[in-house]
Amino acid sequence: MTTPSPVPARKHFSMIRGFHLADVFTLGNAACGVGAVFLAMAYMASQSLAQFLWAAALAPAAFIFDVFDGRIARWRQTHSALGRELDSLADVISFGVAPAALAFAAGLSGGWDCLILIYFVCCGVSRLARYNVTAEALSEGADKVKYFEGTPIPTSVVLVGVLACAAWQGRIGDAVWGGAWTLGPWLLHPLALLFALSGTLMISKTLRIPKF
C-alpha cells in the first residue's frame, strides 16, 4: 500500500510572493486611479480646487505606471496571464472610472451626462476585454501586439487634461465649458460629448492604431 504524498504547506501571502516587478507597477497604476476617485469625491464635499487638480494629476501618474509595467515585463520576460488581467483591471479604474468620476465632480452630472459617462466606462471595459481575448491573434506570433483595434483606454488622460484646464480657468460646476442644454427631462452638458466620442473610438473595430 502506497503512502500518500504529503500536501505541501501553503506559504503565507503566496499570491503576493508570486508578483513580478511589473505587477507592482501595475498596482501603482490602480492606486493612482483609486486616489483620483477619492480626491474627486473630496472635491465635491470641499470645493477645493487643489483637490480637483491633484485628482487630475494622478491620471498622468497612472499612465506612467502603465507604460513602465509593460516595458519592465518585456525587459524581464515576465509576461503572464495574471499580469495581463491585473493591467486591464487597473486600467478600468484609472482610465475609465476615475475620469468619469472627475467629470461628474466637475459638473457633468445631468441625466444625459450620467448616461454618457456610464457608456464611456462600459466602452472602456469592453475595449479591454476584447483586447485580452484577441491579443494573441493580433500579435501574430510576435512578443507583443502590433496594433490596437480602437483607441487604447489610456487616451482618456486627454479628457482629464481638458477637465484640469477647465478647472484651472474656473470653468467647472455651474460655469462649465459649453454650458448646459435641457433635453426632455434631463440636462446635457455638451462637454460630456467628448466622453461619448472617446468611448465610441475605443470600441471601434475599423480604427487600427500601431503599437510602438
Side-chain angles (χ1 to χ4, degrees):
M1 183 175 179
T2 58
T3 304
S5 301
V7 178
R10 295 182 178 179
K11 295 181 179 180
H12 294 295
F13 305 107
S14 58
M15 185 184 75
I16 296 176
R17 289 169 183 265
F19 281 171
H20 300 292
L21 178 61
D23 299 330
V24 175
F25 275 76
T26 303
L27 292 175
N29 171 7
C32 288
V34 175
V37 173
F38 287 167
L39 283 168
M41 292 190 292
Y43 166 76
M44 294 188 71
S46 67
Q47 296 298 300
S48 167
L49 178 61
Q51 288 180 326
F52 188 94
L53 294 177
W54 274 113
L58 286 175
F63 181 77
I64 291 171
F65 278 113
D66 189 48
V67 169
F68 275 95
D69 70 5
R71 293 188 176 182
I72 290 171
R74 289 192 292 272
W75 168 52
R76 296 173 64 94
Q77 297 182 345
T78 53
H79 297 279
S80 68
L82 173 63
R84 186 171 64 187
E85 296 302 323
L86 274 177
D87 188 64
S88 292
L89 292 171
D91 285 355
V92 166
I93 299 170
S94 298
F95 307 119
V97 176
L102 201 61
F104 187 90
L108 306 185
S109 54
W112 296 116
D113 303 329
C114 290
L115 285 180
I116 288 172
L117 294 177
I118 291 170
Y119 168 77
F120 165 77
V121 175
C122 288
C123 286
V125 172
S126 302
R127 165 70 176 76
L128 290 165
R130 184 182 68 190
Y131 176 83
N132 284 353
V133 299
T134 60
E136 185 174 346
L138 292 178
S139 64
E140 297 177 356
D143 290 336
K144 64 177 183 176
V145 172
K146 293 184 177 180
Y147 61 86
F148 293 108
E149 287 184 344
T151 53
I153 191 172
T155 55
S156 64
V157 169
V158 175
L159 298 177
V160 174
V162 171
L163 294 174
C165 289
W168 185 258
Q169 296 182 8
R171 298 299 303 275
I172 57 176
D174 293 336
V176 68
W177 278 343
W181 301 340
T182 300
L183 298 177
W186 294 335
L187 283 179
L188 168 68
H189 294 86
L191 188 59
L193 296 176
L194 290 178
F195 284 83
L197 175 62
S198 176
T200 301
L201 291 176
M202 281 193 284
I203 59 174
S204 170
K205 280 191 67 69
T206 56
L207 180 63
R208 293 186 173 184
I209 300 175
K211 183 176 182 181
F212 299 103

